[in-house]
Amino acid sequence: NEYMAAVKAGREVFTDSKLGSNGVVCAQCHPNGANTHPETYPKFQKQLGKVTQLWEMVNWCIRNPLEGENLAADDLRMTSILTHIAHERRGKKLAPGKH
């Protein structure tokens, strides 16, 4: 189905060293979506200094640990990443604003 295709595509982006410029991939810090907590967004994110959406934090990670370029919020790769993360964290209680 379309959802599982997006989950698979997200896993591919999550493990793609070309997302950044230094060979680091999302999955190195977040294996299987660990410590992403999509169920807690929107929330205040210390690194950004504001209440933020998950896609903004994903871009922070792309810019910093991965040394890459931001993705647009509606970029298919961003949608895929967010779908993968949400799928990996499925079943967690929705708790916006908490971490």
Side-chain angles (χ1 to χ4, degrees):
N1 74 30
E2 295 292 323
Y3 173 76
M4 288 310 296
V7 170
K8 182 180 179 197
R11 174 85 180 145
E12 290 171 9
V13 177
F14 213 66
T15 58
D16 184 359
S17 63
K18 294 182 185 93
L19 189 57
S21 66
N22 60 6
V24 175
V25 301
C26 302
Q28 284 178 247
C29 295
H30 304 285
N32 300 316
N35 294 319
T36 55
H37 305 288
E39 69 279 1
T40 65
Y41 284 84
K43 67 181 174 188
F44 180 80
Q45 195 62 53
K46 184 171 60 173
Q47 295 94 322
L48 298 172
K50 65 178 185 172
V51 173
T52 186
Q53 296 291 334
L54 180 56
W55 68 267
E56 293 174 287
M57 191 62 206
V58 169
N59 271 335
W60 181 91
C61 289
I62 292 170
R63 281 192 317 273
N64 292 282
L66 276 60
E67 297 177 3
E69 299 295 324
N70 282 342
L71 298 177
D74 63 350
D75 185 299
L76 183 56
R77 293 170 296 170
M78 180 63 78
T79 300
S80 296
I81 289 169
L82 297 177
T83 304
H84 167 68
I85 290 170
H87 182 76
E88 289 296 325
R89 297 287 296 173
R90 67 193 177 280
K92 301 297 181 212
K93 184 177 177 183
L94 183 62
K98 299 194 178 190
H99 184 236

